[in-house]
Amino acid sequence: MGLLITQPKGAAQRLKDGVGAALIALVLGVPMLGLATADVGGALAVITRWPLLAGFVGVVFVGRLFFQWLIDIFSLRKKRREQARPAVAKSRPWLTWIGFAALGLAVMLPIAFSGNRYVIDTATTVLIYVMLGWGLNVVVGLAGLLDLGYVAFYAVGAYSYGLLSTHFGWGFWQTLPVAGLLAASFGLLLGWPTLRLRGDYLAIVTLGFGEIIRLILLNWTEFSGGPNGVNSIPRPTFFGLPFKPDSDDGATFASFFHLEYSPDHRVTFLYYLILALALLTNLFVSRLRKLPVGLAWEAVREDELACKAMGINVTNIKLSAFAIGAMLGGFAGVFFAARQGFISPESFVFSESATILAIVVLGGMGSQLGVVIAALLLVVLPELGRDFSEYRMFLFGAAMILIMVWRPGGIIAKREPTLRLGAAA
Amino acid sequence: MSALNPHDPASPLLLEVENLTMRFGGLTALDNLSLQVPAGKVTSIIGPNGAGKTTFFNCLTGFYKPTEGSVRMHHPQRGPMLLNQMPSYHVARKAGVVRTFQNIRLFPNMTVLENLMVAQHNALQHASRFSLAGLLGLKDYRQAREAALEKARTWLTRLNLLDRADTVTGNLSYGTQRRIEIARALCVDPLLLCLDEPAAGLNPRESAELNELLLYLSREHGKGILLIEHDMSVVMRVSDHICVLNFGHKIAEGSPQHIQQDPHVIKAYLGEEDKDTEEAAA
């Protein structure tokens, strides 16, 4: 299947390819379309449908030609772009402007859509994935360690808040750092024995770790509530002011600010909360990327052996990437638990890890803005596709394939240098 | 055996290899090799393909654990240390022995300047207090960063790479990448620089520049240089001392003039009978 060909084909080759596809369609089509069974006077008889078959083969032929032509155009354009690429890495200020524009939109969103709970809820989900994507970006995008069990750290964060708040009455802000540290230590725990593994092997071990955490949460009923999960997790308060209808026991957010109570207040507050957390994450990660440790993460991704020859302790660098990625996942988990009010192992299945990984890969490994765009796509596309009911996932998959054909390195594939001699002078 | 005087104040003994043996299963890649490398001099290791030269480098720099023997580094400040018992990153960080690779190993998607900054990771990481001071942008860290940039700039200038500083390394030509790899190794502040075929793929002008650089580093900076090279125009011009390996054995050692006339070396390189080609070897 020449889906991801990079070399443009000529017209003759395209024709040949189309004929080949049509032949395959013919062979497959004879039993599937050309022949059919029908009820003829009470007996089963085979009837032929040659016009239908001819139409099918024709559609395959033309479709394949068109598809190849599209791919040719794309690869030609890409070649031209690559040739035009200057040797010296240029800075791209427009990327920064897109970032600021996106931030402006994110801040304005609850005001523009005030009262529309669905939009704000979806935007909150997008932001959770953005934050998770930024966390995993440290591990996969920067340090180049394939982690298929990232959701385990998300679960550690969520259950930390769920259990500490319901059993010991801890608040959201109290739990946040503790859960982050806990998730980071789980990251170290996983990383210590496994980071000497490379590539595929590390991926398998992290996949196993993710499943272990989920299975423990599912089966250790006394600790985690098992499949019933943790219920009635307290919601975060606005500096001690709860979001609930006016009552006699103490001030609420609405009564304190003399507002009419509305459930939208909490939704909006949660939205801004995750926006702030995500922005902090972004600030933290982009700052780290410019520090020696961030540079070393990328160097380890590029060439581990060369790092050793430069005197870099590769194990420590990988561990720090793992721990920081895990910590950010833990933070996101705390927010998730506080937003849902209910958590169960159902929320931390492998497909979540896969989605977060897809966000990082689709966005372009290491790109912060790419993660935002990819998270938006991955959350909003299935939402938009609701009208197509069962074809939803099909459309979603097709969109992913098209994006990867169009931009094999991710939406924002080009890496921005962390420092320049010109700027540093 | 060796003409070296370890107590010569002009070129003190830096590296002392004793009875180094490396076996891979039944194959003996290095057999009972002993060698002394002084500071401020260029010591070359030559030999036909498969003679064990790169294996020797891998044993020095902690990438392989030798089967027998010892590699002792005489650090002027920190005293003697056994390289064969250290993890590979300690060899560069603590002992100051830094190597380059036969097949260039740069960080291809990073710029030249970033490559040189990664080489200064340990000093910078220390100054950033494991990122805490760096996150806050404290003065200590900013100063250390400035110093690191300055060092990078110095070596970039010396190796004629300054205009390439912000270029992505993977896009550069082979000869330029070789120079970047040397510049990156120099940013680690090595006492002993181990270069694995630095002249491979260079044109004559670039090789001449390499000769001049090697002499400059050894004479002006007092660095010990250990060189694996096939290009005899480089080896014979810059080496103070040459060690010839064949099938893991040391077959000859001495000055360039001495090596050119050594019958064992000629035999190893050219085979036995053909007397006419002796001149060509020299």
Side-chain angles (χ1 to χ4, degrees):
Chain A
M1 183 96 190
L3 193 66
L4 293 162
I5 29 164
T6 48
Q7 205 64 28
K9 290 183 173 169
Q13 240 185 323
R14 279 209 293 268
L15 205 66
K16 217 169 124 190
D17 185 71
V19 170
L23 272 177
I24 294 174
L26 184 68
V27 170
L28 289 175
V30 167
M32 289 163 82
L33 290 171
L35 304 172
T37 50
D39 186 7
V40 181
L44 201 62
V46 175
I47 56 161
T48 52
R49 300 188 294 187
W50 301 130
L52 182 69
L53 180 63
F56 170 68
V57 170
V59 166
V60 167
F61 176 68
V62 174
R64 181 73 191 182
L65 272 186
F66 177 69
F67 188 55
Q68 281 296 349
W69 175 75
L70 268 185
I71 289 182
D72 275 12
I73 286 190
F74 271 130
S75 43
L76 258 182
R77 270 202 206 148
K78 202 175 148 229
K79 261 201 168 161
R80 234 171 268 152
R81 262 206 314 271
E82 267 165 9
Q83 274 161 7
R85 190 172 289 167
V88 174
K90 267 203 188 120
S91 70
R92 291 174 298 173
W94 53 271
L95 270 186
T96 324
W97 291 117
I98 290 180
F100 277 114
L103 175 59
L105 283 179
V107 173
M108 296 299 292
L109 185 113
I111 301 164
F113 289 93
S114 74
N116 190 340
R117 201 177 157 158
Y118 171 69
V119 169
I120 299 176
D121 258 343
T122 310
T124 309
T125 310
V126 171
L127 283 174
I128 292 181
Y129 279 108
V130 167
M131 186 162 169
L132 285 168
W134 278 338
L136 187 62
N137 208 0
V138 171
V139 184
V140 178
L142 294 178
L145 306 165
L146 188 49
D147 182 353
L148 290 180
Y150 191 61
V151 82
F153 307 122
Y154 188 41
V156 168
Y159 270 87
S160 303
Y161 180 56
L163 295 175
L164 284 173
S165 62
T166 48
H167 290 301
F168 302 103
W170 284 39
F172 177 82
W173 296 106
Q174 272 171 297
T175 320
L176 198 62
V178 174
L181 283 180
L182 210 62
S185 31
F186 268 86
L188 292 178
L189 203 71
L190 168 66
W192 191 253
T194 58
L195 281 180
R196 72 190 67 212
L197 302 173
R198 277 162 194 244
D200 311 351
Y201 301 101
L202 179 68
I204 292 168
V205 173
T206 52
L207 176 69
F209 177 74
E211 287 301 292
I212 287 170
I213 295 280
R214 191 179 65 84
L215 289 174
I216 288 176
L217 293 175
L218 195 61
N219 291 304
W220 194 0
T221 317
E222 304 88 72
F223 172 71
S224 64
N228 300 326
V230 182
N231 286 305
S232 47
I233 298 167
R235 304 309 186 87
T237 55
F238 186 82
F239 299 105
L241 297 169
F243 294 93
K244 57 184 186 188
D246 286 326
S247 58
D248 297 329
D249 48 318
T252 65
F253 178 77
S255 72
F256 188 84
F257 289 102
H258 305 291
L259 295 168
E260 188 79 26
Y261 169 74
S262 151
D264 290 342
H265 290 163
R266 189 176 68 211
V267 177
T268 312
F269 170 69
L270 282 172
Y271 173 80
Y272 278 118
L273 181 61
I274 185 69
L275 182 63
L277 283 176
L279 284 178
L280 267 176
T281 305
N282 183 26
L283 203 69
F284 179 65
V285 173
S286 12
R287 187 118 192 142
L288 276 181
R289 190 178 161 243
K290 295 195 164 141
L291 288 177
V293 68
L295 217 50
W297 286 339
E298 292 196 80
V300 166
R301 176 193 66 198
E302 300 278 300
D303 196 325
E304 214 173 288
L305 222 56
C307 281
K308 283 184 188 161
M310 298 294 104
I312 294 174
N313 185 341
V314 173
T315 312
N316 282 358
I317 295 298
K318 284 180 172 180
L319 275 179
S320 68
F322 237 72
I324 284 171
M327 181 182 79
L328 296 172
F331 288 154
V334 173
F335 176 82
F336 176 75
R339 180 207 184 198
Q340 301 287 348
F342 163 72
I343 46 171
S344 77
E346 283 289 291
S347 310
F348 307 105
V349 289
F350 170 67
S351 71
E352 284 294 304
S353 288
T355 308
I356 306 164
L357 187 66
I359 287 174
V360 174
V361 174
L362 205 61
M365 304 274 251
S367 165
Q368 303 278 82
L369 189 60
V371 164
V372 179
I373 299 170
L376 204 62
L377 274 176
L378 256 71
V379 177
V380 173
L381 264 185
E383 290 292 324
L384 289 180
R386 274 189 197 284
D387 294 341
F388 300 96
S389 58
E390 62 259 47
Y391 295 105
R392 192 158 76 111
M393 289 329 276
F394 172 72
L395 286 178
F396 179 67
M400 296 266 285
I401 291 175
L402 278 181
I403 292 173
M404 287 328 269
V405 169
W406 172 50
R407 310 220 81 166
I411 294 168
I412 298 181
K414 194 135 176 269
R415 178 180 170 276
E416 210 48 34
T418 56
L419 78 170
R420 285 162 194 287
L421 201 59
Chain B
M1 266 228 309
S2 167
L4 263 175
N5 174 7
H7 305 295
D8 177 7
S11 51
L13 183 63
L14 214 49
L15 189 79
E16 205 175 6
V17 180
E18 273 173 356
N19 309 102
L20 193 67
T21 302
M22 181 78 214
R23 286 192 203 98
F24 298 103
L27 178 85
T28 306
L30 284 176
D31 194 3
N32 213 15
L33 181 72
S34 298
L35 183 72
Q36 293 183 324
V37 182
K41 295 257 159 92
V42 179
T43 309
S44 291
I45 296 169
I46 61 172
N49 286 326
K53 305 183 295 292
T54 299
T55 305
F56 176 59
F57 263 28
N58 283 335
C59 289
L60 286 195
T61 48
F63 285 90
Y64 292 162
K65 293 277 161 270
T67 320
E68 281 163 36
S70 68
V71 181
R72 188 175 277 108
M73 175 78 185
H74 294 276
H75 197 288
Q77 283 90 44
R78 294 177 192 151
M81 39 184 92
L82 277 175
L83 300 190
N84 52 321
Q85 290 174 0
M86 287 176 147
S88 56
Y89 65 93
H90 271 180
V91 171
R93 183 192 285 193
K94 300 226 161 104
V97 178
V98 180
R99 70 173 294 184
T100 66
F101 294 87
Q102 188 176 355
N103 45 342
I104 303 174
R105 300 195 87 114
L106 289 165
F107 308 121
N109 289 312
M110 300 166 86
T111 66
V112 176
L113 182 64
E114 283 175 321
N115 266 273
L116 266 58
M117 293 300 270
V118 171
Q120 302 180 61
H121 173 82
N122 288 320
L124 282 170
Q125 180 79 334
H126 184 74
S128 79
R129 302 274 175 275
F130 302 95
S131 303
L132 284 177
L135 273 175
L136 302 170
L138 297 187
K139 199 172 159 216
D140 276 8
Y141 171 66
R142 274 181 290 139
Q143 279 172 349
R145 191 164 176 274
E146 279 308 310
L149 276 170
E150 201 46 52
K151 192 193 283 174
R153 195 198 306 268
T154 312
W155 287 121
L156 284 174
T157 315
R158 183 64 191 76
L159 284 145
N160 260 332
L161 288 164
L162 200 57
D163 54 335
R164 301 288 187 175
D166 295 329
T167 317
V168 175
T169 11
N171 295 348
L172 292 167
S173 73
Y174 197 75
T176 315
Q177 293 199 16
R178 283 255 175 244
R179 271 187 291 152
I180 297 167
E181 213 188 5
I182 296 176
R184 187 181 66 178
L186 286 168
C187 279
V188 192
D189 280 334
L191 291 163
L192 179 66
L193 186 60
C194 303
L195 301 173
D196 198 343
E197 298 197 22
L202 299 193
N203 63 35
R205 189 177 54 82
E206 287 172 327
S207 304
E209 282 171 7
L210 178 70
N211 285 352
E212 190 216 338
L213 176 75
L214 294 182
L215 289 174
Y216 167 78
L217 290 175
S218 56
R219 304 300 185 261
E220 307 293 320
H221 287 264
K223 293 194 190 300
I225 292 178
L226 199 55
L227 180 72
I228 291 180
E229 190 50 72
H230 282 298
D231 185 341
M232 289 303 148
S233 74
V234 174
V235 172
M236 293 303 164
R237 282 195 199 125
V238 300
S239 305
D240 297 292
H241 192 77
I242 298 177
C243 166
V244 190
L245 295 187
N246 195 18
F247 296 114
H249 296 281
K250 182 163 73 179
I251 56 171
E253 191 174 12
S255 67
Q257 294 75 25
H258 174 79
I259 291 297
Q260 281 173 4
Q261 269 123 45
D262 192 295
H264 295 289
V265 178
I266 294 164
K267 189 175 134 194
Y269 267 86
L270 299 167
E272 211 154 353
E273 57 278 78
D274 209 351
K275 290 283 181 198
D276 299 343
T277 42
E278 271 191 36
E279 291 298 312

